[in-house]
Amino acid sequence: GEKVEQHESTLSVREGDSAVINCTYTDTASSYFPWYKQEAGKGLHFVIDIRSNVDRKQSQRLIVLLDKKAKRFSLHITATQPEDSAIYFCAATNSAGNKLTFGIGTRVLVRP
Amino acid sequence: EAAVTQSPRNKVAVTGGKVTLSCNQTNNHNNMYWYRQDTGHGLRLIHYSYGAGSTEKGDIPDGYKASRPSQENFSLILELATPSQTSVYFCASGDPGNQDTQYFGPGTRLLVL
């Protein structure tokens, strides 16, 4: 089955800098890649996604890049703010499109 | 935004006891999911459902049962709880025909003694 590896377990960045989280996946048939944010003691909150028919998507300060050849996708948080501090999860669908496989999460800390 | 609620939010159970975790969604999504979250593992899928009356095994179904009596409700049942099932459990709903996005509940923290 699909395996998703999230390469950074923790990231510490200075406020205003960018944070980059990298993920790789194994199933070449995966077509949907969402990102979720989890704040302390809360559930996961959807932040942005990308589909396999594009290689870049931006929503305000969030940019997602997808490299299908390398089976790699990444989340770029630009101009980081203290409220960006959280755990971020990447995920990918299986070939049937009915299940998500998650990475283990990246804890992002934005320092003042 | 879609609303997914879970109950209880916290639960302490004894080994060998029965535990039922409940989930309710008000956005009329067909699909519902149960995950557990453990340090070092991220979220792992236990059971999911395509609609009322349907339950499917996820990636780690052993020791768990699921029940989907209606579109809105999806329960996770631990018939004989074990300490290894101590975890945080999340329910989610989603409609794969509409963006595939899953909406998560706030989680249930379960401690099995």
PDB file of all heavy atoms in Angstrom, chain A residues 35-47 84-89 104-108, chain B residues 37 42-43 88 90 104-107 109:
ATOM      1  N   TRP A  35      -2.786  18.813   2.863  1.00  0.00           N
ATOM      2  CA  TRP A  35      -1.987  19.144   4.044  1.00  0.00           C
ATOM      3  C   TRP A  35      -2.942  19.569   5.156  1.00  0.00           C
ATOM      4  O   TRP A  35      -3.915  20.287   4.926  1.00  0.00           O
ATOM      5  CB  TRP A  35      -1.025  20.291   3.740  1.00  0.00           C
ATOM      6  CG  TRP A  35       0.119  19.902   2.856  1.00  0.00           C
ATOM      7  CD1 TRP A  35       0.132  19.869   1.488  1.00  0.00           C
ATOM      8  CD2 TRP A  35       1.422  19.491   3.277  1.00  0.00           C
ATOM      9  NE1 TRP A  35       1.357  19.459   1.031  1.00  0.00           N
ATOM     10  CE2 TRP A  35       2.174  19.222   2.101  1.00  0.00           C
ATOM     11  CE3 TRP A  35       2.036  19.326   4.516  1.00  0.00           C
ATOM     12  CZ2 TRP A  35       3.503  18.802   2.152  1.00  0.00           C
ATOM     13  CZ3 TRP A  35       3.362  18.917   4.555  1.00  0.00           C
ATOM     14  CH2 TRP A  35       4.075  18.660   3.385  1.00  0.00           C
ATOM     15  N   TYR A  36      -2.589  19.128   6.372  1.00  0.00           N
ATOM     16  CA  TYR A  36      -3.399  19.449   7.523  1.00  0.00           C
ATOM     17  C   TYR A  36      -2.537  20.084   8.605  1.00  0.00           C
ATOM     18  O   TYR A  36      -1.349  19.782   8.730  1.00  0.00           O
ATOM     19  CB  TYR A  36      -4.070  18.192   8.094  1.00  0.00           C
ATOM     20  CG  TYR A  36      -5.160  17.633   7.222  1.00  0.00           C
ATOM     21  CD1 TYR A  36      -4.878  16.762   6.176  1.00  0.00           C
ATOM     22  CD2 TYR A  36      -6.491  17.982   7.443  1.00  0.00           C
ATOM     23  CE1 TYR A  36      -5.871  16.255   5.375  1.00  0.00           C
ATOM     24  CE2 TYR A  36      -7.507  17.471   6.649  1.00  0.00           C
ATOM     25  CZ  TYR A  36      -7.194  16.606   5.620  1.00  0.00           C
ATOM     26  OH  TYR A  36      -8.185  16.121   4.830  1.00  0.00           O
ATOM     27  N   LYS A  37      -3.183  20.916   9.400  1.00  0.00           N
ATOM     28  CA  LYS A  37      -2.515  21.594  10.524  1.00  0.00           C
ATOM     29  C   LYS A  37      -3.198  21.161  11.806  1.00  0.00           C
ATOM     30  O   LYS A  37      -4.424  21.095  11.867  1.00  0.00           O
ATOM     31  CB  LYS A  37      -2.645  23.110  10.338  1.00  0.00           C
ATOM     32  CG  LYS A  37      -2.094  23.963  11.457  1.00  0.00           C
ATOM     33  CD  LYS A  37      -2.354  25.439  11.146  1.00  0.00           C
ATOM     34  CE  LYS A  37      -1.789  26.348  12.227  1.00  0.00           C
ATOM     35  NZ  LYS A  37      -2.078  27.786  11.938  1.00  0.00           N
ATOM     36  N   GLN A  38      -2.399  20.854  12.817  1.00  0.00           N
ATOM     37  CA  GLN A  38      -2.955  20.473  14.110  1.00  0.00           C
ATOM     38  C   GLN A  38      -2.360  21.367  15.194  1.00  0.00           C
ATOM     39  O   GLN A  38      -1.155  21.321  15.444  1.00  0.00           O
ATOM     40  CB  GLN A  38      -2.673  19.002  14.430  1.00  0.00           C
ATOM     41  CG  GLN A  38      -3.307  18.530  15.728  1.00  0.00           C
ATOM     42  CD  GLN A  38      -3.019  17.082  16.028  1.00  0.00           C
ATOM     43  OE1 GLN A  38      -1.934  16.580  15.743  1.00  0.00           O
ATOM     44  NE2 GLN A  38      -3.987  16.384  16.622  1.00  0.00           N
ATOM     45  N   GLU A  39      -3.206  22.139  15.812  1.00  0.00           N
ATOM     46  CA  GLU A  39      -2.783  22.945  16.956  1.00  0.00           C
ATOM     47  C   GLU A  39      -2.948  22.131  18.226  1.00  0.00           C
ATOM     48  O   GLU A  39      -3.693  21.148  18.258  1.00  0.00           O
ATOM     49  CB  GLU A  39      -3.586  24.247  16.990  1.00  0.00           C
ATOM     50  CG  GLU A  39      -3.286  25.115  15.771  1.00  0.00           C
ATOM     51  CD  GLU A  39      -4.191  26.319  15.663  1.00  0.00           C
ATOM     52  OE1 GLU A  39      -5.185  26.400  16.412  1.00  0.00           O
ATOM     53  OE2 GLU A  39      -3.912  27.176  14.825  1.00  0.00           O
ATOM     54  N   ALA A  40      -2.275  22.541  19.262  1.00  0.00           N
ATOM     55  CA  ALA A  40      -2.204  21.760  20.500  1.00  0.00           C
ATOM     56  C   ALA A  40      -3.593  21.394  21.014  1.00  0.00           C
ATOM     57  O   ALA A  40      -4.454  22.269  21.193  1.00  0.00           O
ATOM     58  CB  ALA A  40      -1.441  22.545  21.561  1.00  0.00           C
ATOM     59  N   GLY A  41      -3.815  20.107  21.238  1.00  0.00           N
ATOM     60  CA  GLY A  41      -5.056  19.640  21.827  1.00  0.00           C
ATOM     61  C   GLY A  41      -6.260  19.653  20.897  1.00  0.00           C
ATOM     62  O   GLY A  41      -7.396  19.459  21.352  1.00  0.00           O
ATOM     63  N   LYS A  42      -6.010  19.859  19.617  1.00  0.00           N
ATOM     64  CA  LYS A  42      -7.143  19.964  18.686  1.00  0.00           C
ATOM     65  C   LYS A  42      -7.036  18.918  17.591  1.00  0.00           C
ATOM     66  O   LYS A  42      -6.033  18.213  17.456  1.00  0.00           O
ATOM     67  CB  LYS A  42      -7.181  21.369  18.080  1.00  0.00           C
ATOM     68  CG  LYS A  42      -7.441  22.461  19.108  1.00  0.00           C
ATOM     69  CD  LYS A  42      -7.634  23.805  18.454  1.00  0.00           C
ATOM     70  CE  LYS A  42      -7.937  24.884  19.488  1.00  0.00           C
ATOM     71  NZ  LYS A  42      -8.118  26.217  18.875  1.00  0.00           N
ATOM     72  N   GLY A  43      -8.086  18.838  16.802  1.00  0.00           N
ATOM     73  CA  GLY A  43      -8.082  17.941  15.659  1.00  0.00           C
ATOM     74  C   GLY A  43      -7.336  18.533  14.486  1.00  0.00           C
ATOM     75  O   GLY A  43      -6.795  19.639  14.563  1.00  0.00           O
ATOM     76  N   LEU A  44      -7.306  17.803  13.396  1.00  0.00           N
ATOM     77  CA  LEU A  44      -6.614  18.267  12.202  1.00  0.00           C
ATOM     78  C   LEU A  44      -7.515  19.199  11.417  1.00  0.00           C
ATOM     79  O   LEU A  44      -8.708  18.963  11.256  1.00  0.00           O
ATOM     80  CB  LEU A  44      -6.213  17.081  11.325  1.00  0.00           C
ATOM     81  CG  LEU A  44      -4.929  16.359  11.708  1.00  0.00           C
ATOM     82  CD1 LEU A  44      -5.074  15.615  13.014  1.00  0.00           C
ATOM     83  CD2 LEU A  44      -4.498  15.421  10.585  1.00  0.00           C
ATOM     84  N   HIS A  45      -6.897  20.251  10.900  1.00  0.00           N
ATOM     85  CA  HIS A  45      -7.618  21.252  10.132  1.00  0.00           C
ATOM     86  C   HIS A  45      -7.001  21.337   8.743  1.00  0.00           C
ATOM     87  O   HIS A  45      -5.806  21.587   8.603  1.00  0.00           O
ATOM     88  CB  HIS A  45      -7.538  22.595  10.856  1.00  0.00           C
ATOM     89  CG  HIS A  45      -8.240  23.697  10.152  1.00  0.00           C
ATOM     90  ND1 HIS A  45      -9.604  23.803  10.110  1.00  0.00           N
ATOM     91  CD2 HIS A  45      -7.756  24.739   9.434  1.00  0.00           C
ATOM     92  CE1 HIS A  45      -9.941  24.874   9.404  1.00  0.00           C
ATOM     93  NE2 HIS A  45      -8.848  25.462   8.987  1.00  0.00           N
ATOM     94  N   PHE A  46      -7.819  21.154   7.720  1.00  0.00           N
ATOM     95  CA  PHE A  46      -7.330  21.215   6.346  1.00  0.00           C
ATOM     96  C   PHE A  46      -6.786  22.605   6.029  1.00  0.00           C
ATOM     97  O   PHE A  46      -7.411  23.613   6.368  1.00  0.00           O
ATOM     98  CB  PHE A  46      -8.476  20.869   5.397  1.00  0.00           C
ATOM     99  CG  PHE A  46      -8.182  21.134   3.948  1.00  0.00           C
ATOM    100  CD1 PHE A  46      -7.459  20.229   3.202  1.00  0.00           C
ATOM    101  CD2 PHE A  46      -8.622  22.301   3.353  1.00  0.00           C
ATOM    102  CE1 PHE A  46      -7.181  20.477   1.867  1.00  0.00           C
ATOM    103  CE2 PHE A  46      -8.361  22.567   2.023  1.00  0.00           C
ATOM    104  CZ  PHE A  46      -7.636  21.642   1.276  1.00  0.00           C
ATOM    105  N   VAL A  47      -5.605  22.665   5.378  1.00  0.00           N
ATOM    106  CA  VAL A  47      -5.055  23.976   5.031  1.00  0.00           C
ATOM    107  C   VAL A  47      -4.907  24.186   3.531  1.00  0.00           C
ATOM    108  O   VAL A  47      -5.188  25.266   3.021  1.00  0.00           O
ATOM    109  CB  VAL A  47      -3.723  24.250   5.746  1.00  0.00           C
ATOM    110  CG1 VAL A  47      -3.940  24.446   7.240  1.00  0.00           C
ATOM    111  CG2 VAL A  47      -2.689  23.155   5.517  1.00  0.00           C
ATOM    112  N   ASP A  84       1.452  30.309  13.007  1.00  0.00           N
ATOM    113  CA  ASP A  84       1.780  29.172  12.153  1.00  0.00           C
ATOM    114  C   ASP A  84       2.386  28.021  12.956  1.00  0.00           C
ATOM    115  O   ASP A  84       2.535  26.912  12.431  1.00  0.00           O
ATOM    116  CB  ASP A  84       2.765  29.585  11.052  1.00  0.00           C
ATOM    117  CG  ASP A  84       2.168  30.593  10.079  1.00  0.00           C
ATOM    118  OD1 ASP A  84       0.937  30.537   9.839  1.00  0.00           O
ATOM    119  OD2 ASP A  84       2.921  31.441   9.563  1.00  0.00           O
ATOM    120  N   SER A  85       2.762  28.267  14.188  1.00  0.00           N
ATOM    121  CA  SER A  85       3.321  27.208  15.027  1.00  0.00           C
ATOM    122  C   SER A  85       2.265  26.134  15.260  1.00  0.00           C
ATOM    123  O   SER A  85       1.175  26.414  15.768  1.00  0.00           O
ATOM    124  CB  SER A  85       3.783  27.780  16.370  1.00  0.00           C
ATOM    125  OG  SER A  85       4.857  28.678  16.195  1.00  0.00           O
ATOM    126  N   ALA A  86       2.603  24.894  14.867  1.00  0.00           N
ATOM    127  CA  ALA A  86       1.650  23.784  14.947  1.00  0.00           C
ATOM    128  C   ALA A  86       2.360  22.543  14.404  1.00  0.00           C
ATOM    129  O   ALA A  86       3.509  22.595  13.999  1.00  0.00           O
ATOM    130  CB  ALA A  86       0.393  24.067  14.126  1.00  0.00           C
ATOM    131  N   ILE A  87       1.627  21.432  14.386  1.00  0.00           N
ATOM    132  CA  ILE A  87       2.105  20.235  13.705  1.00  0.00           C
ATOM    133  C   ILE A  87       1.417  20.179  12.344  1.00  0.00           C
ATOM    134  O   ILE A  87       0.190  20.347  12.265  1.00  0.00           O
ATOM    135  CB  ILE A  87       1.801  18.966  14.515  1.00  0.00           C
ATOM    136  CG1 ILE A  87       2.470  19.036  15.880  1.00  0.00           C
ATOM    137  CG2 ILE A  87       2.299  17.725  13.758  1.00  0.00           C
ATOM    138  CD1 ILE A  87       2.112  17.878  16.804  1.00  0.00           C
ATOM    139  N   TYR A  88       2.187  19.933  11.304  1.00  0.00           N
ATOM    140  CA  TYR A  88       1.655  19.845   9.954  1.00  0.00           C
ATOM    141  C   TYR A  88       1.804  18.411   9.443  1.00  0.00           C
ATOM    142  O   TYR A  88       2.862  17.788   9.582  1.00  0.00           O
ATOM    143  CB  TYR A  88       2.392  20.808   9.023  1.00  0.00           C
ATOM    144  CG  TYR A  88       2.095  22.252   9.331  1.00  0.00           C
ATOM    145  CD1 TYR A  88       2.754  22.906  10.363  1.00  0.00           C
ATOM    146  CD2 TYR A  88       1.126  22.954   8.624  1.00  0.00           C
ATOM    147  CE1 TYR A  88       2.469  24.233  10.671  1.00  0.00           C
ATOM    148  CE2 TYR A  88       0.840  24.279   8.921  1.00  0.00           C
ATOM    149  CZ  TYR A  88       1.509  24.911   9.954  1.00  0.00           C
ATOM    150  OH  TYR A  88       1.213  26.214  10.256  1.00  0.00           O
ATOM    151  N   PHE A  89       0.732  17.908   8.859  1.00  0.00           N
ATOM    152  CA  PHE A  89       0.718  16.558   8.298  1.00  0.00           C
ATOM    153  C   PHE A  89       0.524  16.630   6.790  1.00  0.00           C
ATOM    154  O   PHE A  89      -0.380  17.318   6.307  1.00  0.00           O
ATOM    155  CB  PHE A  89      -0.423  15.729   8.888  1.00  0.00           C
ATOM    156  CG  PHE A  89      -0.256  15.392  10.336  1.00  0.00           C
ATOM    157  CD1 PHE A  89      -0.770  16.231  11.320  1.00  0.00           C
ATOM    158  CD2 PHE A  89       0.407  14.235  10.727  1.00  0.00           C
ATOM    159  CE1 PHE A  89      -0.620  15.919  12.670  1.00  0.00           C
ATOM    160  CE2 PHE A  89       0.552  13.919  12.064  1.00  0.00           C
ATOM    161  CZ  PHE A  89       0.048  14.767  13.036  1.00  0.00           C
ATOM    162  N   ILE A 104       4.088  11.333   9.363  1.00  0.00           N
ATOM    163  CA  ILE A 104       4.094  11.306  10.825  1.00  0.00           C
ATOM    164  C   ILE A 104       4.004  12.693  11.445  1.00  0.00           C
ATOM    165  O   ILE A 104       3.881  12.821  12.660  1.00  0.00           O
ATOM    166  CB  ILE A 104       5.338  10.579  11.383  1.00  0.00           C
ATOM    167  CG1 ILE A 104       6.614  11.319  11.003  1.00  0.00           C
ATOM    168  CG2 ILE A 104       5.371   9.134  10.911  1.00  0.00           C
ATOM    169  CD1 ILE A 104       7.849  10.774  11.718  1.00  0.00           C
ATOM    170  N   GLY A 105       4.039  13.724  10.633  1.00  0.00           N
ATOM    171  CA  GLY A 105       3.876  15.072  11.152  1.00  0.00           C
ATOM    172  C   GLY A 105       5.182  15.809  11.355  1.00  0.00           C
ATOM    173  O   GLY A 105       6.212  15.205  11.659  1.00  0.00           O
ATOM    174  N   THR A 106       5.139  17.123  11.153  1.00  0.00           N
ATOM    175  CA  THR A 106       6.284  18.006  11.379  1.00  0.00           C
ATOM    176  C   THR A 106       5.865  19.098  12.347  1.00  0.00           C
ATOM    177  O   THR A 106       4.893  19.818  12.086  1.00  0.00           O
ATOM    178  CB  THR A 106       6.761  18.661  10.076  1.00  0.00           C
ATOM    179  OG1 THR A 106       7.209  17.656   9.169  1.00  0.00           O
ATOM    180  CG2 THR A 106       7.893  19.655  10.344  1.00  0.00           C
ATOM    181  N   ARG A 107       6.589  19.203  13.435  1.00  0.00           N
ATOM    182  CA  ARG A 107       6.290  20.266  14.403  1.00  0.00           C
ATOM    183  C   ARG A 107       7.037  21.527  13.975  1.00  0.00           C
ATOM    184  O   ARG A 107       8.275  21.522  13.879  1.00  0.00           O
ATOM    185  CB  ARG A 107       6.723  19.859  15.807  1.00  0.00           C
ATOM    186  CG  ARG A 107       6.351  20.876  16.878  1.00  0.00           C
ATOM    187  CD  ARG A 107       6.751  20.389  18.256  1.00  0.00           C
ATOM    188  NE  ARG A 107       6.061  19.165  18.642  1.00  0.00           N
ATOM    189  CZ  ARG A 107       4.875  19.119  19.199  1.00  0.00           C
ATOM    190  NH1 ARG A 107       4.218  20.244  19.454  1.00  0.00           N
ATOM    191  NH2 ARG A 107       4.326  17.973  19.538  1.00  0.00           N
ATOM    192  N   VAL A 108       6.286  22.569  13.674  1.00  0.00           N
ATOM    193  CA  VAL A 108       6.866  23.846  13.255  1.00  0.00           C
ATOM    194  C   VAL A 108       6.772  24.830  14.414  1.00  0.00           C
ATOM    195  O   VAL A 108       5.693  25.038  14.977  1.00  0.00           O
ATOM    196  CB  VAL A 108       6.141  24.407  12.019  1.00  0.00           C
ATOM    197  CG1 VAL A 108       6.637  25.805  11.688  1.00  0.00           C
ATOM    198  CG2 VAL A 108       6.335  23.471  10.831  1.00  0.00           C
TER     199      VAL A 108
ATOM    200  N   GLN B  37      -4.020   8.335  16.548  1.00  0.00           N
ATOM    201  CA  GLN B  37      -2.797   9.119  16.433  1.00  0.00           C
ATOM    202  C   GLN B  37      -1.854   8.759  17.559  1.00  0.00           C
ATOM    203  O   GLN B  37      -2.206   8.881  18.736  1.00  0.00           O
ATOM    204  CB  GLN B  37      -3.090  10.620  16.479  1.00  0.00           C
ATOM    205  CG  GLN B  37      -1.843  11.469  16.294  1.00  0.00           C
ATOM    206  CD  GLN B  37      -2.119  12.953  16.339  1.00  0.00           C
ATOM    207  OE1 GLN B  37      -3.119  13.415  16.890  1.00  0.00           O
ATOM    208  NE2 GLN B  37      -1.246  13.736  15.721  1.00  0.00           N
ATOM    209  N   GLY B  42       2.069   9.109  13.258  1.00  0.00           N
ATOM    210  CA  GLY B  42       1.102   9.962  12.588  1.00  0.00           C
ATOM    211  C   GLY B  42      -0.297   9.431  12.801  1.00  0.00           C
ATOM    212  O   GLY B  42      -0.620   8.902  13.866  1.00  0.00           O
ATOM    213  N   LEU B  43      -1.141   9.549  11.796  1.00  0.00           N
ATOM    214  CA  LEU B  43      -2.505   9.031  11.862  1.00  0.00           C
ATOM    215  C   LEU B  43      -2.589   7.729  11.083  1.00  0.00           C
ATOM    216  O   LEU B  43      -2.113   7.654   9.949  1.00  0.00           O
ATOM    217  CB  LEU B  43      -3.500  10.029  11.258  1.00  0.00           C
ATOM    218  CG  LEU B  43      -4.055  11.063  12.217  1.00  0.00           C
ATOM    219  CD1 LEU B  43      -3.032  12.132  12.482  1.00  0.00           C
ATOM    220  CD2 LEU B  43      -5.322  11.665  11.669  1.00  0.00           C
ATOM    221  N   VAL B  88      -5.013   8.650  21.009  1.00  0.00           N
ATOM    222  CA  VAL B  88      -5.987   9.681  20.676  1.00  0.00           C
ATOM    223  C   VAL B  88      -6.674   9.250  19.383  1.00  0.00           C
ATOM    224  O   VAL B  88      -6.001   8.933  18.394  1.00  0.00           O
ATOM    225  CB  VAL B  88      -5.331  11.063  20.493  1.00  0.00           C
ATOM    226  CG1 VAL B  88      -6.392  12.103  20.170  1.00  0.00           C
ATOM    227  CG2 VAL B  88      -4.577  11.455  21.768  1.00  0.00           C
ATOM    228  N   PHE B  90      -9.360   9.949  16.288  1.00  0.00           N
ATOM    229  CA  PHE B  90     -10.005  10.996  15.505  1.00  0.00           C
ATOM    230  C   PHE B  90     -10.991  10.389  14.521  1.00  0.00           C
ATOM    231  O   PHE B  90     -10.690   9.400  13.852  1.00  0.00           O
ATOM    232  CB  PHE B  90      -8.965  11.809  14.722  1.00  0.00           C
ATOM    233  CG  PHE B  90      -8.136  12.706  15.578  1.00  0.00           C
ATOM    234  CD1 PHE B  90      -6.864  12.331  15.974  1.00  0.00           C
ATOM    235  CD2 PHE B  90      -8.632  13.931  16.002  1.00  0.00           C
ATOM    236  CE1 PHE B  90      -6.089  13.159  16.775  1.00  0.00           C
ATOM    237  CE2 PHE B  90      -7.869  14.766  16.797  1.00  0.00           C
ATOM    238  CZ  PHE B  90      -6.601  14.382  17.191  1.00  0.00           C
ATOM    239  N   PHE B 104     -12.104  16.776  10.203  1.00  0.00           N
ATOM    240  CA  PHE B 104     -11.834  16.012  11.405  1.00  0.00           C
ATOM    241  C   PHE B 104     -12.588  16.546  12.616  1.00  0.00           C
ATOM    242  O   PHE B 104     -12.829  17.748  12.749  1.00  0.00           O
ATOM    243  CB  PHE B 104     -10.335  16.045  11.722  1.00  0.00           C
ATOM    244  CG  PHE B 104      -9.540  15.128  10.847  1.00  0.00           C
ATOM    245  CD1 PHE B 104      -9.213  15.475   9.542  1.00  0.00           C
ATOM    246  CD2 PHE B 104      -9.132  13.891  11.313  1.00  0.00           C
ATOM    247  CE1 PHE B 104      -8.488  14.612   8.728  1.00  0.00           C
ATOM    248  CE2 PHE B 104      -8.405  13.026  10.514  1.00  0.00           C
ATOM    249  CZ  PHE B 104      -8.090  13.386   9.222  1.00  0.00           C
ATOM    250  N   GLY B 105     -12.911  15.604  13.508  1.00  0.00           N
ATOM    251  CA  GLY B 105     -13.428  15.969  14.810  1.00  0.00           C
ATOM    252  C   GLY B 105     -12.302  16.363  15.749  1.00  0.00           C
ATOM    253  O   GLY B 105     -11.122  16.292  15.379  1.00  0.00           O
ATOM    254  N   PRO B 106     -12.635  16.756  16.989  1.00  0.00           N
ATOM    255  CA  PRO B 106     -11.637  17.251  17.938  1.00  0.00           C
ATOM    256  C   PRO B 106     -10.821  16.160  18.614  1.00  0.00           C
ATOM    257  O   PRO B 106      -9.835  16.458  19.280  1.00  0.00           O
ATOM    258  CB  PRO B 106     -12.486  17.998  18.969  1.00  0.00           C
ATOM    259  CG  PRO B 106     -13.797  17.291  18.938  1.00  0.00           C
ATOM    260  CD  PRO B 106     -14.006  16.872  17.513  1.00  0.00           C
ATOM    261  N   GLY B 107     -11.228  14.907  18.447  1.00  0.00           N
ATOM    262  CA  GLY B 107     -10.465  13.811  19.031  1.00  0.00           C
ATOM    263  C   GLY B 107     -11.012  13.325  20.362  1.00  0.00           C
ATOM    264  O   GLY B 107     -11.665  14.070  21.103  1.00  0.00           O
ATOM    265  N   ARG B 109      -9.440  11.275  23.706  1.00  0.00           N
ATOM    266  CA  ARG B 109      -8.233  10.749  24.350  1.00  0.00           C
ATOM    267  C   ARG B 109      -8.644   9.554  25.201  1.00  0.00           C
ATOM    268  O   ARG B 109      -9.427   9.706  26.145  1.00  0.00           O
ATOM    269  CB  ARG B 109      -7.581  11.827  25.198  1.00  0.00           C
ATOM    270  CG  ARG B 109      -6.213  11.484  25.732  1.00  0.00           C
ATOM    271  CD  ARG B 109      -5.568  12.680  26.411  1.00  0.00           C
ATOM    272  NE  ARG B 109      -5.324  13.777  25.472  1.00  0.00           N
ATOM    273  CZ  ARG B 109      -4.231  13.903  24.743  1.00  0.00           C
ATOM    274  NH1 ARG B 109      -3.264  13.017  24.837  1.00  0.00           N
ATOM    275  NH2 ARG B 109      -4.082  14.932  23.932  1.00  0.00           N
TER     276      ARG B 109
END
